Amino acid sequence: MTPSHPRHPGELVFTLLLIAGTLLVGREAVRISGLSGPSSPGFGPLAMVAVVLLGLAYAAVRALLDRPAEREPIVVRLRRLGAAVLPPPVLGAIPVLVLYLIGLELVGFVLATFLFLLVSIVLLDRGRPIRAALVAAGTVGIIWLLFQQIFQVLLP
Amino acid sequence: METALGYFLMSWLDPYLLVLVAVGTLAGIYIGAIPGLSVTMAVSILISFTYAWDTNEALALMVGIYMGGVYGGSRSAILLNIPGAPAAIATALDGYPLAQLGEAGRAIGVTTVVSFVGGFVGIGALALAAPLVAEVSLMFAPRDYMLLGVMGLLLVASLSGESLVKGVVAGAIGILVSMVGLDTMTAQPRLTFGSTALLGGVSYVAVMIGMFGVAEALAQLHNLAAPVVKQQVDRIVPSVGTVLRHLPLALRSSAIGVWIGALPGTGGDIAALMAYDHARKSVKNPTRPFGQGAYEGLVAPESANNAAVGGAFIPMLTLGIPGDAVTAVIIAALFIHGLKPGPNLMVDTPHLFWFTVGNLTLANVFMLVFGLTGIRLFAKIVEVPKAILLPIVVVLSVVGAYAINNSLTDVWWAVGFGILGYVLKTYGYQLGPIVLGVILGPIVEANFRRTMITVHDSWLGFALELVSHPITLVLTVGIVLSALRGTPLWPRLVAKLRRSAGTASG
């Protein structure tokens, strides 16, 4: 019933990272009310941490068992990881997104959004800066008009 | 009865609400038709914009978007071989071959009419079944709500991802997120890591926008290079003969859609795949072989996924348990507007039920009208490049997250959950169970603790509670079966049962 899926590149490392993060949450869960009764406020978080840890342990074992018989060179493995998890568009988009949020605090919504759209569209659309600038300006204008003026929503 | 009719016709007679349903349906069809945009994404982002609105207006818009969006996904499935929504995955199997044969217009016409039929079956089932379910649900004890929540999580975990284990992990992560902040029973801080900023908990709307908006946009960046195929679309209104020929299958598939939609946690996507499978097994002489442009391959999933819309509202309005991801978001919207979905919703605010049924019916009619008339425009809209569309989705997610509390903290949460959701999704952990966990977590935990208090924290007493009433017993058995279904034991069990059945009959 449970179909066998090939291991995703970097799955074991990712699972181990999730386990480490869950253990941190588990330490915080123990602090709530220790190991007292099931109706105590700490029981639910501890139970969920246990479920996540058990599931992740199973996923880690599966990832270990599904390891290819022949180890590929590290460069090949990193390339496969990049293609599957962080292909160039995603690798570029995440820092641009974080910079956008910082920009919202520093220069306000209109300018930060215009620059974010301009840079993102130029990067994803491979060039065409004039078209990108027109689309970015038009989008900011429409969003400002629609949300600020019609929906009366405050913009960042 | 007259009062119910009055509530039902509210949106039909109020020009403002009528326009909102129409705009919602039209927007839903567009959003559903554009690959990369989903109804769940749209409704999640929209919630924060409708904070200040009247509840009726917000609901009218959202119901329109939901109904239109489920149908709209078929457009890009037929025209581009890219399902615009998960519910249209099965549609692409025969829809795209039909477009390649030059029958895109006819395929869209048939799809529109059977979606309309399915929509009506779902709404009819909602109108008939919900009041009965609500009456039964008044007998529910806390343990039953806990079991329903667990069942919803298990169902969505087992059916939506690559493995049950990953689905359960995703659901448990969602529940953990819902537990951050002050405990609702004892006001004790939980999982706050000593930060006062976390005392108020994590905004579930920010989680939804992150998971369904930002994470989806990042995931869509993988398919930037998908080619756009321009289709010639002409005559689309199908003949009466064609409709009548496919009507029996449409009705059977609609019944599947209602049933799957009404199960907590499962929605149009699973209903469509099951209906497609049913069509393949039950139709002996399809118009063409399945997978090569059989109209039956369009009729089954499209009638089922629209029927699932009405079905999904049944557990939502009567039990407060979402039927699928979109109804989970709509539940969040009702909470925001001070309403508590559940058995008391139909007692305290009966108008809301008939108002929703009226909205769904109206949206279904608008869907038929827009679907059969706006064809050329839709063909154009699905051609918008993703390089332009996806950054705009991110900006809308940012605006939506900010609108929750006018705070940039929620924007950081949304983006943080978006990036986490993207990585989880890449590794096979579905995002639906996480969001469902966030919504169902408090229901499951609070009712579990209430049950535990009544049995004085005794596990034996708790186990006896799980089989103490016929309703509870049915739910417990349902959970055990759902859990078994995702394990390797299930096929062996089924094979053994078949063998013993064969021996008995032979």
Side-chain angles (χ1 to χ4, degrees), chain A residues 1-2 5 8-9 11 14 28 32 38-39 41 84-85 97 105 147 151 154 156, chain B residues 49 162 166 183 188 190 193 222 394 402 408 412 422-423 427 448-449 457 485-486 491:
Chain A
M1 181 64 204
T2 310
H5 287 271
H8 302 277
E11 181 156 9
F14 178 68
E28 190 68 12
I32 302 170
S39 62
V85 184
L97 185 52
E105 302 202 33
F147 293 113
F151 282 167
L154 282 180
Chain B
F49 298 137
E162 63 181 50
K166 285 185 174 175
D183 175 34
Q188 200 174 332
R190 300 197 299 177
F193 293 87
H222 282 254
V394 171
Y402 183 78
L408 276 172
W412 282 101
Y422 162 75
V423 182
Y427 282 107
F448 168 76
R449 283 166 74 184
D457 276 357
R485 208 175 170 278

mmCIF file of all heavy atoms in Angstrom, chain A residues 1-2 5 8-9 11 14 28 32 38-39 41 84-85 97 105 147 151 154 156, chain B residues 49 162 166 183 188 190 193 222 394 402 408 412 422-423 427 448-449 457 485-486 491:
data_model
loop_
_atom_site.group_PDB
_atom_site.id
_atom_site.type_symbol
_atom_site.label_atom_id
_atom_site.label_comp_id
_atom_site.label_asym_id
_atom_site.label_seq_id
_atom_site.Cartn_x
_atom_site.Cartn_y
_atom_site.Cartn_z
ATOM 1 N N MET A 1 0.839 -1.214 0.000
ATOM 2 C CA MET A 1 0.000 0.000 0.000
ATOM 3 C C MET A 1 0.863 1.248 0.000
ATOM 4 O O MET A 1 0.713 2.145 -0.806
ATOM 5 C CB MET A 1 -0.905 -0.019 1.236
ATOM 6 C CG MET A 1 -1.850 1.176 1.341
ATOM 7 S SD MET A 1 -3.006 1.196 -0.017
ATOM 8 C CE MET A 1 -3.437 2.910 -0.057
ATOM 9 N N THR A 2 1.835 1.294 0.953
ATOM 10 C CA THR A 2 2.701 2.461 0.984
ATOM 11 C C THR A 2 3.714 2.333 -0.130
ATOM 12 O O THR A 2 4.555 1.454 -0.112
ATOM 13 C CB THR A 2 3.428 2.562 2.333
ATOM 14 O OG1 THR A 2 2.467 2.433 3.343
ATOM 15 C CG2 THR A 2 4.138 3.873 2.484
ATOM 16 N N HIS A 5 9.190 5.280 -2.484
ATOM 17 C CA HIS A 5 9.614 6.456 -3.234
ATOM 18 C C HIS A 5 11.122 6.551 -3.185
ATOM 19 O O HIS A 5 11.719 6.278 -2.148
ATOM 20 C CB HIS A 5 9.011 7.716 -2.625
ATOM 21 C CG HIS A 5 7.554 7.842 -2.910
ATOM 22 N ND1 HIS A 5 7.067 8.471 -4.024
ATOM 23 C CD2 HIS A 5 6.481 7.389 -2.232
ATOM 24 C CE1 HIS A 5 5.742 8.401 -4.011
ATOM 25 N NE2 HIS A 5 5.374 7.757 -2.941
ATOM 26 N N HIS A 8 14.879 11.460 -1.660
ATOM 27 C CA HIS A 8 15.145 12.802 -2.179
ATOM 28 C C HIS A 8 16.594 13.168 -1.850
ATOM 29 O O HIS A 8 17.095 12.790 -0.784
ATOM 30 C CB HIS A 8 14.218 13.819 -1.520
ATOM 31 C CG HIS A 8 12.765 13.520 -1.704
ATOM 32 N ND1 HIS A 8 12.077 13.878 -2.838
ATOM 33 C CD2 HIS A 8 11.863 12.896 -0.906
ATOM 34 C CE1 HIS A 8 10.810 13.493 -2.720
ATOM 35 N NE2 HIS A 8 10.660 12.889 -1.564
ATOM 36 N N PRO A 9 17.255 13.928 -2.723
ATOM 37 C CA PRO A 9 18.637 14.328 -2.412
ATOM 38 C C PRO A 9 18.672 15.110 -1.093
ATOM 39 O O PRO A 9 17.869 16.012 -0.878
ATOM 40 C CB PRO A 9 19.024 15.223 -3.592
ATOM 41 C CG PRO A 9 18.069 14.887 -4.681
ATOM 42 C CD PRO A 9 16.812 14.430 -4.021
ATOM 43 N N GLU A 11 17.900 14.060 1.810
ATOM 44 C CA GLU A 11 16.778 13.755 2.705
ATOM 45 C C GLU A 11 17.230 13.376 4.114
ATOM 46 O O GLU A 11 16.626 13.792 5.100
ATOM 47 C CB GLU A 11 15.926 12.627 2.110
ATOM 48 C CG GLU A 11 14.738 12.299 2.995
ATOM 49 C CD GLU A 11 13.583 11.663 2.262
ATOM 50 O OE1 GLU A 11 13.742 11.318 1.091
ATOM 51 O OE2 GLU A 11 12.519 11.518 2.892
ATOM 52 N N PHE A 14 18.311 16.466 6.006
ATOM 53 C CA PHE A 14 17.136 17.275 6.329
ATOM 54 C C PHE A 14 16.350 16.640 7.476
ATOM 55 O O PHE A 14 15.920 17.319 8.410
ATOM 56 C CB PHE A 14 16.244 17.424 5.082
ATOM 57 C CG PHE A 14 14.984 18.198 5.344
ATOM 58 C CD1 PHE A 14 15.032 19.551 5.628
ATOM 59 C CD2 PHE A 14 13.746 17.572 5.332
ATOM 60 C CE1 PHE A 14 13.868 20.268 5.886
ATOM 61 C CE2 PHE A 14 12.587 18.279 5.588
ATOM 62 C CZ PHE A 14 12.652 19.628 5.861
ATOM 63 N N GLU A 28 11.514 22.249 25.451
ATOM 64 C CA GLU A 28 10.608 23.330 25.873
ATOM 65 C C GLU A 28 9.282 22.741 26.381
ATOM 66 O O GLU A 28 8.697 23.247 27.334
ATOM 67 C CB GLU A 28 10.365 24.246 24.660
ATOM 68 C CG GLU A 28 9.656 25.531 24.945
ATOM 69 C CD GLU A 28 10.451 26.519 25.780
ATOM 70 O OE1 GLU A 28 11.663 26.318 25.962
ATOM 71 O OE2 GLU A 28 9.827 27.472 26.280
ATOM 72 N N ILE A 32 6.919 22.736 30.480
ATOM 73 C CA ILE A 32 5.568 23.262 30.739
ATOM 74 C C ILE A 32 5.004 22.685 32.032
ATOM 75 O O ILE A 32 4.661 23.407 32.947
ATOM 76 C CB ILE A 32 4.611 22.972 29.558
ATOM 77 C CG1 ILE A 32 5.164 23.578 28.268
ATOM 78 C CG2 ILE A 32 3.211 23.528 29.849
ATOM 79 C CD1 ILE A 32 4.441 23.155 27.015
ATOM 80 N N PRO A 38 -2.298 13.312 31.813
ATOM 81 C CA PRO A 38 -2.673 13.594 30.429
ATOM 82 C C PRO A 38 -3.575 14.816 30.245
ATOM 83 O O PRO A 38 -3.704 15.297 29.120
ATOM 84 C CB PRO A 38 -3.377 12.322 29.971
ATOM 85 C CG PRO A 38 -3.644 11.533 31.187
ATOM 86 C CD PRO A 38 -2.695 11.966 32.241
ATOM 87 N N SER A 39 -4.192 15.301 31.322
ATOM 88 C CA SER A 39 -5.016 16.500 31.120
ATOM 89 C C SER A 39 -4.234 17.772 31.441
ATOM 90 O O SER A 39 -4.781 18.867 31.389
ATOM 91 C CB SER A 39 -6.280 16.431 31.988
ATOM 92 O OG SER A 39 -5.919 16.386 33.358
ATOM 93 N N PRO A 41 -1.408 20.848 30.873
ATOM 94 C CA PRO A 41 -1.126 21.615 29.648
ATOM 95 C C PRO A 41 0.113 21.146 28.888
ATOM 96 O O PRO A 41 0.243 21.414 27.698
ATOM 97 C CB PRO A 41 -0.924 23.048 30.167
ATOM 98 C CG PRO A 41 -0.747 22.952 31.631
ATOM 99 C CD PRO A 41 -1.408 21.694 32.079
ATOM 100 N N ALA A 84 17.170 19.577 -7.172
ATOM 101 C CA ALA A 84 15.904 19.114 -6.594
ATOM 102 C C ALA A 84 15.345 20.073 -5.561
ATOM 103 O O ALA A 84 14.138 20.254 -5.472
ATOM 104 C CB ALA A 84 16.110 17.730 -5.957
ATOM 105 N N VAL A 85 16.201 20.664 -4.750
ATOM 106 C CA VAL A 85 15.703 21.476 -3.630
ATOM 107 C C VAL A 85 15.884 22.964 -3.872
ATOM 108 O O VAL A 85 14.992 23.768 -3.619
ATOM 109 C CB VAL A 85 16.411 21.069 -2.310
ATOM 110 C CG1 VAL A 85 15.835 21.832 -1.131
ATOM 111 C CG2 VAL A 85 16.290 19.580 -2.085
ATOM 112 N N LEU A 97 13.575 37.798 -1.451
ATOM 113 C CA LEU A 97 12.389 37.888 -0.594
ATOM 114 C C LEU A 97 12.752 38.466 0.783
ATOM 115 O O LEU A 97 12.063 39.348 1.312
ATOM 116 C CB LEU A 97 11.797 36.480 -0.456
ATOM 117 C CG LEU A 97 10.495 36.288 0.295
ATOM 118 C CD1 LEU A 97 9.423 37.224 -0.216
ATOM 119 C CD2 LEU A 97 10.031 34.839 0.165
ATOM 120 N N GLU A 105 10.669 47.609 5.856
ATOM 121 C CA GLU A 105 10.884 48.358 7.099
ATOM 122 C C GLU A 105 11.668 49.636 6.833
ATOM 123 O O GLU A 105 11.461 50.648 7.489
ATOM 124 C CB GLU A 105 11.640 47.487 8.107
ATOM 125 C CG GLU A 105 10.905 46.196 8.417
ATOM 126 C CD GLU A 105 11.299 45.569 9.735
ATOM 127 O OE1 GLU A 105 11.605 46.303 10.672
ATOM 128 O OE2 GLU A 105 11.296 44.324 9.810
ATOM 129 N N PHE A 147 -6.241 48.043 -2.592
ATOM 130 C CA PHE A 147 -6.251 47.715 -1.161
ATOM 131 C C PHE A 147 -6.327 48.957 -0.281
ATOM 132 O O PHE A 147 -7.120 49.011 0.647
ATOM 133 C CB PHE A 147 -5.033 46.859 -0.808
ATOM 134 C CG PHE A 147 -5.095 45.512 -1.451
ATOM 135 C CD1 PHE A 147 -4.207 45.132 -2.440
ATOM 136 C CD2 PHE A 147 -6.095 44.612 -1.096
ATOM 137 C CE1 PHE A 147 -4.291 43.899 -3.051
ATOM 138 C CE2 PHE A 147 -6.186 43.377 -1.706
ATOM 139 C CZ PHE A 147 -5.292 43.022 -2.688
ATOM 140 N N PHE A 151 -10.365 48.642 -0.517
ATOM 141 C CA PHE A 151 -10.552 47.724 0.622
ATOM 142 C C PHE A 151 -10.242 48.393 1.959
ATOM 143 O O PHE A 151 -10.523 47.821 3.007
ATOM 144 C CB PHE A 151 -9.647 46.492 0.470
ATOM 145 C CG PHE A 151 -10.158 45.455 -0.503
ATOM 146 C CD1 PHE A 151 -9.339 44.425 -0.948
ATOM 147 C CD2 PHE A 151 -11.462 45.489 -0.971
ATOM 148 C CE1 PHE A 151 -9.793 43.463 -1.838
ATOM 149 C CE2 PHE A 151 -11.922 44.533 -1.861
ATOM 150 C CZ PHE A 151 -11.085 43.524 -2.297
ATOM 151 N N LEU A 154 -4.598 48.715 5.442
ATOM 152 C CA LEU A 154 -3.321 49.426 5.615
ATOM 153 C C LEU A 154 -2.213 48.627 4.948
ATOM 154 O O LEU A 154 -2.151 47.407 5.085
ATOM 155 C CB LEU A 154 -3.006 49.578 7.102
ATOM 156 C CG LEU A 154 -3.751 50.679 7.865
ATOM 157 C CD1 LEU A 154 -3.308 50.685 9.312
ATOM 158 C CD2 LEU A 154 -3.485 52.045 7.231
ATOM 159 N N PRO A 156 1.928 47.755 4.385
ATOM 160 C CA PRO A 156 3.109 47.802 5.260
ATOM 161 C C PRO A 156 3.891 49.109 5.109
ATOM 162 O O PRO A 156 3.987 49.612 4.010
ATOM 163 C CB PRO A 156 3.956 46.621 4.803
ATOM 164 C CG PRO A 156 3.044 45.736 4.058
ATOM 165 C CD PRO A 156 1.952 46.577 3.513
ATOM 166 N N PHE B 49 -8.011 40.480 4.190
ATOM 167 C CA PHE B 49 -8.572 41.708 3.615
ATOM 168 C C PHE B 49 -10.038 41.913 4.016
ATOM 169 O O PHE B 49 -10.557 43.013 3.936
ATOM 170 C CB PHE B 49 -8.489 41.687 2.087
ATOM 171 C CG PHE B 49 -7.077 41.613 1.580
ATOM 172 C CD1 PHE B 49 -6.749 40.772 0.540
ATOM 173 C CD2 PHE B 49 -6.081 42.397 2.147
ATOM 174 C CE1 PHE B 49 -5.443 40.705 0.072
ATOM 175 C CE2 PHE B 49 -4.779 42.327 1.697
ATOM 176 C CZ PHE B 49 -4.463 41.469 0.655
ATOM 177 N N GLU B 162 3.096 11.358 -0.021
ATOM 178 C CA GLU B 162 3.748 10.171 -0.547
ATOM 179 C C GLU B 162 3.772 9.042 0.479
ATOM 180 O O GLU B 162 3.970 7.908 0.128
ATOM 181 C CB GLU B 162 5.152 10.491 -1.057
ATOM 182 C CG GLU B 162 6.118 10.969 -0.004
ATOM 183 C CD GLU B 162 7.489 11.282 -0.596
ATOM 184 O OE1 GLU B 162 7.571 12.011 -1.596
ATOM 185 O OE2 GLU B 162 8.471 10.790 -0.039
ATOM 186 N N LYS B 166 4.826 10.513 6.738
ATOM 187 C CA LYS B 166 5.131 11.928 6.512
ATOM 188 C C LYS B 166 3.886 12.800 6.705
ATOM 189 O O LYS B 166 3.962 13.926 7.186
ATOM 190 C CB LYS B 166 5.724 12.127 5.119
ATOM 191 C CG LYS B 166 7.173 11.657 5.043
ATOM 192 C CD LYS B 166 7.813 11.952 3.714
ATOM 193 C CE LYS B 166 9.292 11.595 3.764
ATOM 194 N NZ LYS B 166 9.956 11.734 2.472
ATOM 195 N N ASP B 183 -1.877 28.675 27.217
ATOM 196 C CA ASP B 183 -2.818 27.551 27.225
ATOM 197 C C ASP B 183 -4.229 28.091 27.487
ATOM 198 O O ASP B 183 -4.432 28.892 28.404
ATOM 199 C CB ASP B 183 -2.400 26.570 28.330
ATOM 200 C CG ASP B 183 -3.389 25.431 28.476
ATOM 201 O OD1 ASP B 183 -3.952 25.018 27.456
ATOM 202 O OD2 ASP B 183 -3.605 24.972 29.616
ATOM 203 N N GLN B 188 -1.233 29.046 30.986
ATOM 204 C CA GLN B 188 0.207 28.827 31.169
ATOM 205 C C GLN B 188 0.912 28.977 29.813
ATOM 206 O O GLN B 188 0.412 28.476 28.805
ATOM 207 C CB GLN B 188 0.389 27.398 31.694
ATOM 208 C CG GLN B 188 1.725 27.175 32.366
ATOM 209 C CD GLN B 188 1.782 25.786 32.997
ATOM 210 O OE1 GLN B 188 0.747 25.222 33.386
ATOM 211 N NE2 GLN B 188 2.971 25.241 33.088
ATOM 212 N N ARG B 190 3.121 28.190 26.700
ATOM 213 C CA ARG B 190 3.582 26.907 26.154
ATOM 214 C C ARG B 190 4.415 27.144 24.901
ATOM 215 O O ARG B 190 4.029 27.944 24.028
ATOM 216 C CB ARG B 190 2.386 26.015 25.789
ATOM 217 C CG ARG B 190 1.504 25.695 26.983
ATOM 218 C CD ARG B 190 0.596 24.521 26.740
ATOM 219 N NE ARG B 190 -0.337 24.704 25.633
ATOM 220 C CZ ARG B 190 -1.169 23.768 25.218
ATOM 221 N NH1 ARG B 190 -1.164 22.584 25.800
ATOM 222 N NH2 ARG B 190 -1.990 24.003 24.220
ATOM 223 N N PHE B 193 9.540 29.569 24.322
ATOM 224 C CA PHE B 193 10.993 29.750 24.440
ATOM 225 C C PHE B 193 11.320 31.046 25.194
ATOM 226 O O PHE B 193 12.279 31.733 24.879
ATOM 227 C CB PHE B 193 11.664 29.738 23.061
ATOM 228 C CG PHE B 193 11.596 28.393 22.387
ATOM 229 C CD1 PHE B 193 10.498 28.041 21.603
ATOM 230 C CD2 PHE B 193 12.603 27.450 22.557
ATOM 231 C CE1 PHE B 193 10.416 26.791 21.001
ATOM 232 C CE2 PHE B 193 12.535 26.197 21.946
ATOM 233 C CZ PHE B 193 11.448 25.864 21.172
ATOM 234 N N HIS B 222 9.930 25.889 -9.804
ATOM 235 C CA HIS B 222 10.542 24.711 -10.439
ATOM 236 C C HIS B 222 10.058 24.542 -11.875
ATOM 237 O O HIS B 222 10.735 23.954 -12.697
ATOM 238 C CB HIS B 222 10.181 23.436 -9.659
ATOM 239 C CG HIS B 222 10.984 23.258 -8.409
ATOM 240 N ND1 HIS B 222 11.989 22.346 -8.291
ATOM 241 C CD2 HIS B 222 10.934 23.889 -7.228
ATOM 242 C CE1 HIS B 222 12.519 22.415 -7.081
ATOM 243 N NE2 HIS B 222 11.884 23.347 -6.414
ATOM 244 N N VAL B 394 3.584 36.689 -4.252
ATOM 245 C CA VAL B 394 4.351 36.945 -3.022
ATOM 246 C C VAL B 394 3.957 38.306 -2.434
ATOM 247 O O VAL B 394 3.737 38.424 -1.222
ATOM 248 C CB VAL B 394 5.870 36.876 -3.311
ATOM 249 C CG1 VAL B 394 6.667 37.349 -2.101
ATOM 250 C CG2 VAL B 394 6.259 35.458 -3.670
ATOM 251 N N TYR B 402 0.311 41.221 6.438
ATOM 252 C CA TYR B 402 0.405 42.490 7.179
ATOM 253 C C TYR B 402 -0.980 42.924 7.674
ATOM 254 O O TYR B 402 -1.128 43.437 8.784
ATOM 255 C CB TYR B 402 1.006 43.574 6.290
ATOM 256 C CG TYR B 402 1.212 44.891 7.016
ATOM 257 C CD1 TYR B 402 2.288 45.076 7.883
ATOM 258 C CD2 TYR B 402 0.315 45.948 6.863
ATOM 259 C CE1 TYR B 402 2.470 46.272 8.560
ATOM 260 C CE2 TYR B 402 0.484 47.147 7.539
ATOM 261 C CZ TYR B 402 1.567 47.302 8.388
ATOM 262 O OH TYR B 402 1.738 48.478 9.065
ATOM 263 N N LEU B 408 4.453 43.903 10.928
ATOM 264 C CA LEU B 408 5.402 43.213 10.044
ATOM 265 C C LEU B 408 5.828 41.857 10.617
ATOM 266 O O LEU B 408 6.328 41.006 9.887
ATOM 267 C CB LEU B 408 6.633 44.092 9.811
ATOM 268 C CG LEU B 408 6.477 45.144 8.693
ATOM 269 C CD1 LEU B 408 7.667 46.085 8.663
ATOM 270 C CD2 LEU B 408 6.316 44.501 7.325
ATOM 271 N N TRP B 412 6.813 38.391 8.601
ATOM 272 C CA TRP B 412 7.987 37.521 8.786
ATOM 273 C C TRP B 412 7.546 36.087 9.067
ATOM 274 O O TRP B 412 8.134 35.140 8.560
ATOM 275 C CB TRP B 412 8.873 38.047 9.924
ATOM 276 C CG TRP B 412 9.735 39.213 9.503
ATOM 277 C CD1 TRP B 412 9.514 40.534 9.751
ATOM 278 C CD2 TRP B 412 10.957 39.158 8.732
ATOM 279 N NE1 TRP B 412 10.509 41.307 9.193
ATOM 280 C CE2 TRP B 412 11.409 40.491 8.571
ATOM 281 C CE3 TRP B 412 11.702 38.124 8.169
ATOM 282 C CZ2 TRP B 412 12.579 40.815 7.872
ATOM 283 C CZ3 TRP B 412 12.871 38.431 7.472
ATOM 284 C CH2 TRP B 412 13.295 39.763 7.324
ATOM 285 N N TYR B 422 7.988 25.229 1.903
ATOM 286 C CA TYR B 422 8.559 24.868 0.599
ATOM 287 C C TYR B 422 9.525 23.690 0.747
ATOM 288 O O TYR B 422 9.456 22.714 -0.007
ATOM 289 C CB TYR B 422 9.271 26.086 -0.014
ATOM 290 C CG TYR B 422 10.235 25.700 -1.099
ATOM 291 C CD1 TYR B 422 9.772 25.316 -2.349
ATOM 292 C CD2 TYR B 422 11.610 25.658 -0.861
ATOM 293 C CE1 TYR B 422 10.647 24.906 -3.333
ATOM 294 C CE2 TYR B 422 12.493 25.258 -1.837
ATOM 295 C CZ TYR B 422 12.015 24.879 -3.075
ATOM 296 O OH TYR B 422 12.885 24.459 -4.039
ATOM 297 N N VAL B 423 10.424 23.787 1.764
ATOM 298 C CA VAL B 423 11.415 22.715 1.940
ATOM 299 C C VAL B 423 10.700 21.416 2.345
ATOM 300 O O VAL B 423 10.998 20.341 1.806
ATOM 301 C CB VAL B 423 12.479 23.113 2.998
ATOM 302 C CG1 VAL B 423 13.525 22.023 3.127
ATOM 303 C CG2 VAL B 423 13.147 24.419 2.616
ATOM 304 N N TYR B 427 10.516 17.728 0.283
ATOM 305 C CA TYR B 427 10.892 16.417 0.816
ATOM 306 C C TYR B 427 9.676 15.513 1.057
ATOM 307 O O TYR B 427 9.751 14.554 1.824
ATOM 308 C CB TYR B 427 11.705 16.588 2.101
ATOM 309 C CG TYR B 427 13.143 16.972 1.789
ATOM 310 C CD1 TYR B 427 13.606 18.253 2.018
ATOM 311 C CD2 TYR B 427 14.014 16.047 1.218
ATOM 312 C CE1 TYR B 427 14.906 18.612 1.708
ATOM 313 C CE2 TYR B 427 15.315 16.391 0.901
ATOM 314 C CZ TYR B 427 15.752 17.677 1.149
ATOM 315 O OH TYR B 427 17.040 18.015 0.823
ATOM 316 N N PHE B 448 -9.775 16.297 24.078
ATOM 317 C CA PHE B 448 -9.039 15.196 24.712
ATOM 318 C C PHE B 448 -8.895 15.477 26.208
ATOM 319 O O PHE B 448 -9.147 14.610 27.050
ATOM 320 C CB PHE B 448 -7.659 15.047 24.061
ATOM 321 C CG PHE B 448 -6.729 14.142 24.817
ATOM 322 C CD1 PHE B 448 -6.878 12.768 24.769
ATOM 323 C CD2 PHE B 448 -5.701 14.665 25.600
ATOM 324 C CE1 PHE B 448 -6.027 11.932 25.477
ATOM 325 C CE2 PHE B 448 -4.850 13.842 26.314
ATOM 326 C CZ PHE B 448 -5.016 12.466 26.255
ATOM 327 N N ARG B 449 -8.501 16.714 26.529
ATOM 328 C CA ARG B 449 -8.291 17.043 27.945
ATOM 329 C C ARG B 449 -9.605 17.008 28.729
ATOM 330 O O ARG B 449 -9.650 16.552 29.867
ATOM 331 C CB ARG B 449 -7.605 18.408 28.059
ATOM 332 C CG ARG B 449 -6.117 18.292 27.729
ATOM 333 C CD ARG B 449 -5.470 19.628 27.510
ATOM 334 N NE ARG B 449 -5.262 20.375 28.733
ATOM 335 C CZ ARG B 449 -4.774 21.615 28.743
ATOM 336 N NH1 ARG B 449 -4.456 22.214 27.607
ATOM 337 N NH2 ARG B 449 -4.598 22.243 29.883
ATOM 338 N N ASP B 457 -8.093 11.250 34.521
ATOM 339 C CA ASP B 457 -6.766 10.945 33.955
ATOM 340 C C ASP B 457 -6.463 9.442 33.886
ATOM 341 O O ASP B 457 -5.298 9.042 33.872
ATOM 342 C CB ASP B 457 -5.658 11.650 34.755
ATOM 343 C CG ASP B 457 -5.471 13.090 34.268
ATOM 344 O OD1 ASP B 457 -6.159 13.482 33.300
ATOM 345 O OD2 ASP B 457 -4.648 13.811 34.852
ATOM 346 N N ARG B 485 -5.071 1.680 6.810
ATOM 347 C CA ARG B 485 -5.037 1.869 5.364
ATOM 348 C C ARG B 485 -3.668 2.343 4.865
ATOM 349 O O ARG B 485 -3.264 2.056 3.756
ATOM 350 C CB ARG B 485 -6.109 2.901 4.982
ATOM 351 C CG ARG B 485 -6.642 2.739 3.611
ATOM 352 C CD ARG B 485 -7.771 3.692 3.354
ATOM 353 N NE ARG B 485 -8.093 3.654 1.944
ATOM 354 C CZ ARG B 485 -7.432 4.328 1.029
ATOM 355 N NH1 ARG B 485 -6.447 5.110 1.381
ATOM 356 N NH2 ARG B 485 -7.754 4.234 -0.244
ATOM 357 N N GLY B 486 -2.964 3.067 5.698
ATOM 358 C CA GLY B 486 -1.663 3.591 5.273
ATOM 359 C C GLY B 486 -0.505 2.671 5.600
ATOM 360 O O GLY B 486 0.642 3.007 5.358
ATOM 361 N N PRO B 491 -3.057 -4.045 2.496
ATOM 362 C CA PRO B 491 -3.278 -4.918 1.338
ATOM 363 C C PRO B 491 -3.392 -6.382 1.724
ATOM 364 O O PRO B 491 -4.196 -7.123 1.147
ATOM 365 C CB PRO B 491 -2.037 -4.698 0.462
ATOM 366 C CG PRO B 491 -1.249 -3.620 1.079
ATOM 367 C CD PRO B 491 -1.833 -3.267 2.396
#
